Amino acid sequence: MGLIVQKFGGSSVADAERVMNVARIVTDTYKQGNDVVVVVSAQGDTTDDLIEKANEINPKAAKREMDQLLAAGEQISISLLAMAIESLGYPVISLLGWQAGFNTNSIYGSARIKNIKPNRLQAEIAKRNIVVVAGFQGINRYDDLTTLGRGGSDTSAVAIAAALKADKCQIFTDVEGVYTADPRKVENAKKLKEITYDEMLELATLGAQVLNNRSVEMAKKYGVELEVLSSLNPIPGTIVKEVAKMEKMLIRGVTKDKDVALVSILNLQDTPGIAFKIFSKLSSKNINVDIILQSFGRDGTKDIVFTVSKDNGPVAVELLEGMLDDCKIVCNTEVAKVSIVGAGMESHPGTASKMFEALYESNINIQMISTSEIKISVIIDAESADRAVAAVHKAFIPND
Ligand code: ADP
Ligand code: ASP
Ligand code: MG
């Protein structure tokens, strides 16, 4: 018995039958004597549909209005789930983000949680209510609604678990846990029993959508142990924690991220301070740069190539064209980043070459490489990305 936070993603509450299924999971947990706080996302593709509706009217709509719109998706889910729980005969109350005390900064569309005022949550729990909270949203200092960025409900759940010092935080989704690759794309992907926060953070950041990376960052910071599990199949999932048992695997997973643009600045004057000028300009406009490659200077010129998110590609080109002359700037959005992640690779020198060999054998050209202690990423042609993931996965994860 204890306090349990359970989060259900969009597919887990997609229709009436799924909402009733969630209501049963929640009430079963409550019946065992636990206090339960439930965090839900918008139903199915609701968030995408709302974005599409906005785009039909004004593709450049103010971000404040976008948040006002998108927050509606989660409002629908909490009330429907509360009705479902009520129909099973249990005491329940639904709360929007602001009612649950979520205070955020004012970066509409990707707001950060500043704090959670837990009074209302605690009061409802004390009344033995099951509390259903809208994920993905909060309120800023101007009393305006904000949203936390795509996939943000995971972060809402972890934040509540941290604020209330919950005994458990369970992230229910449409797969049975965290796998060595997206199980919907890679046939032989294996479910992991355990994974460390650091490895999960890399996987999430590099494209494994199953957990939002900010949620993992927050779970690590506050020591919230997470379980990722299926809302449709009641079997144990994957535990995300500080120290995880290795399962005789050199790597934990392979990911793909197609949200990449490759910007090349060619024949740039090779003068001191030029890299500083370029990247400080980009950072002043909040453009996050990922991988950077600079060529050796020749004949007084050099090339600098870097990656940014897809929508920032053209923005970066426009900015740089305004400040650099005598060079050529091109942006390629038909690229993808494929990565391997695992703490084990630190002590295994052959890891990178094994990855490159797998790509070579599949005739896939590597355009850029970036490494850290626990990951190796390559930039390749977008159209080869799925093949690359399959080939690299096959090279590292034994088939059984
Ligand atoms: P939810 O709506 O529950 O938040 P998401 O769609 O955000 O669910 O995340 C679950 C999806 O993440 C799965 O359906 C799966 O296709 C995808 N996914 C990508 N990489 C992985 C991975 N390594 N392990 C598990 N799922 C993954
Ligand atoms: N509904 C939001 C989204 O689709 C938040 C979430 O699902 O976590 O991104
Ligand atoms: Mg999600």
Side-chain angles (χ1 to χ4, degrees):
M1 275 186 299
L3 171 59
I4 302 186
V5 175
Q6 298 185 317
K7 180 257 167 179
F8 295 88
S11 48
S12 300
V13 291
D15 54 31
E17 199 184 314
R18 295 270 175 103
V19 171
M20 285 312 299
N21 172 57
V22 169
R24 269 180 238 109
I25 296 175
V26 170
T27 52
D28 282 348
T29 311
Y30 180 88
K31 239 178 350 202
Q32 290 157 15
N34 299 296
D35 293 323
V36 189
V37 178
V38 190
V39 174
V40 274
S41 299
Q43 291 187 286
D45 297 327
T46 302
T47 308
D48 289 329
D49 295 345
L50 290 173
I51 293 172
E52 214 176 292
K53 271 189 209 294
N55 284 341
E56 277 169 21
I57 291 171
N58 177 1
K60 292 190 171 159
K63 289 193 162 172
R64 178 192 179 278
E65 298 310 326
M66 281 307 287
D67 279 5
Q68 192 85 321
L69 175 70
L70 297 189
E74 272 66 14
Q75 177 161 4
I76 295 171
S77 299
I78 54 166
S79 41
L80 291 177
L81 180 58
M83 291 172 198
I85 293 171
E86 181 193 359
S87 78
L88 297 178
Y90 290 85
V92 60
I93 185 163
S94 70
L95 298 176
L96 290 164
W98 68 268
Q99 293 172 308
F102 273 81
N103 293 306
T104 74
N105 66 14
S106 294
I107 305 179
Y108 296 107
S110 58
R112 289 209 171 237
I113 299 167
K114 290 208 292 197
N115 58 61
I116 295 182
K117 295 243 152 34
N119 317 35
R120 179 74 188 270
L121 284 169
Q122 283 161 340
E124 298 299 345
I125 293 168
K127 287 188 231 162
R128 286 291 288 145
N129 273 327
I130 294 172
V131 191
V132 182
V133 180
F136 175 60
Q137 55 175 259
I139 197 170
N140 65 15
R141 59 204 274 232
Y142 310 109
D143 285 349
D144 283 333
L145 296 183
T146 54
T147 66
L148 309 179
R150 299 307 304 269
S153 298
D154 297 333
T155 314
S156 307
V158 175
I160 290 181
L164 299 179
K165 300 196 167 49
D167 298 285
K168 243 189 205 179
C169 185
Q170 296 180 310
I171 309 287
F172 287 87
T173 184
D174 57 358
V175 289
E176 286 163 13
V178 179
Y179 285 70
T180 50
D182 186 341
R184 296 189 189 286
K185 296 268 168 65
V186 177
E187 219 178 294
N188 298 317
K190 279 193 180 159
K191 188 168 103 184
L192 301 167
K193 282 200 183 76
E194 295 185 352
I195 184 167
T196 65
Y197 292 126
D198 288 337
E199 289 170 315
M200 190 63 232
L201 184 56
E202 289 287 5
L203 284 182
T205 306
L206 294 169
Q209 172 198 358
V210 63
L211 278 179
N212 173 282
N213 59 351
R214 279 195 194 166
S215 73
V216 184
E217 211 170 57
M218 189 178 290
K220 179 178 161 77
K221 184 167 170 193
Y222 294 99
V224 176
E225 195 170 296
L226 301 178
E227 183 179 11
V228 178
L229 67 173
S230 163
S231 61
L232 298 168
N233 189 7
I235 58 171
T238 301
I239 306 285
V240 188
K241 57 185 194 170
E242 189 64 45
V243 182
K245 281 192 213 98
M246 286 301 260
E247 289 167 48
K248 280 201 210 128
M249 282 180 205
L250 188 54
I251 66 159
R252 296 290 191 161
V254 187
T255 60
K256 169 189 84 177
D257 184 0
K258 284 195 158 178
D259 184 17
V260 183
L262 185 68
V263 179
S264 309
I265 313 173
L266 308 171
N267 298 324
L268 183 66
Q269 287 305 313
D270 193 7
T271 49
I274 190 75
F276 165 67
K277 257 176 80 183
I278 290 170
F279 294 108
S280 57
K281 180 78 176 179
L282 296 174
S283 85
S284 73
K285 299 287 175 200
N286 279 325
I287 296 179
N288 226 344
V289 176
D290 183 19
I291 306 176
I292 303 175
L293 198 82
Q294 179 183 291
S295 70
F296 277 117
R298 44 163 163 66
D299 305 330
T301 67
K302 64 185 173 190
D303 303 333
I304 291 183
V305 186
F306 60 87
T307 62
V308 292
S309 66
K310 222 168 215 139
D311 56 347
N312 273 334
V315 187
V317 171
E318 206 183 310
L319 271 175
L320 296 176
E321 277 176 345
M323 71 179 258
L324 302 169
D325 28 54
D326 285 350
C327 62
K328 192 171 165 207
I329 305 175
V330 284
C331 173
N332 178 3
T333 50
E334 293 305 308
V335 290
K337 181 161 70 172
V338 169
S339 312
I340 55 174
V341 172
M345 68 174 68
E346 230 178 330
S347 47
H348 286 80
T351 315
S353 65
K354 192 166 173 169
M355 180 184 190
F356 303 156
E357 183 185 13
L359 294 169
Y360 163 64
E361 280 175 353
S362 299
N363 206 17
I364 295 168
N365 188 38
I366 301 172
Q367 301 182 28
M368 288 171 104
I369 300 169
S370 138
T371 64
S372 79
E373 286 96 357
I374 65 167
K375 66 136 211 241
I376 300 169
S377 299
V378 294
I379 300 292
I380 59 170
D381 255 357
E383 56 142 30
S384 310
D386 287 332
R387 250 175 356 104
V389 171
V392 172
H393 189 271
K394 192 165 167 220
F396 282 97
I397 309 288
N399 244 339
D400 51 22

